[in-house]
Amino acid sequence: MGISFDPMREWMKKQHISFYRLANEGIDAQTLQRLRHDRPVTTETIGKLCEIMQCQPGDLMEYRPEAKDS
């Protein structure tokens, strides 16, 4: 999948939000691990993150097309 959570990590740096804080706000440790490694998460999780971090989904993720072997 070509979804990257790099924008979320940048947002976190700018807003001084740690993964520890997200865990304390109720984001599961396994979900945080998935986010760190650009693995799929639910739209419910995206909604929770937007609420905690006061942002929009587009602030958290971006689509990056995967290179196709020719």
Side-chain angles (χ1 to χ4, degrees), residues 8-19 22:
M8 182 188 90
R9 293 184 283 272
E10 288 300 316
W11 182 272
M12 290 172 67
K13 284 180 191 176
K14 289 178 188 174
Q15 301 298 318
H16 306 287
I17 297 171
S18 66
F19 281 103
L22 295 178

Side-chain angles (χ1 to χ4, degrees), residues 44-68:
E44 183 178 345
T45 297
I46 297 299
K48 285 181 187 178
L49 290 168
C50 287
E51 183 178 341
I52 293 166
M53 295 174 25
Q54 297 294 296
C55 63
Q56 293 295 312
D59 296 323
L60 303 179
M61 58 188 166
E62 67 183 356
Y63 174 72
R64 293 184 181 168
E66 293 181 12
K68 295 185 180 189

Side-chain angles (χ1 to χ4, degrees), residues 28-42:
D28 183 70
Q30 285 183 307
T31 300
L32 293 174
Q33 187 70 4
R34 295 182 73 74
L35 291 164
R36 284 185 184 104
H37 296 283
D38 295 331
R39 303 298 305 151
V41 296
T42 66

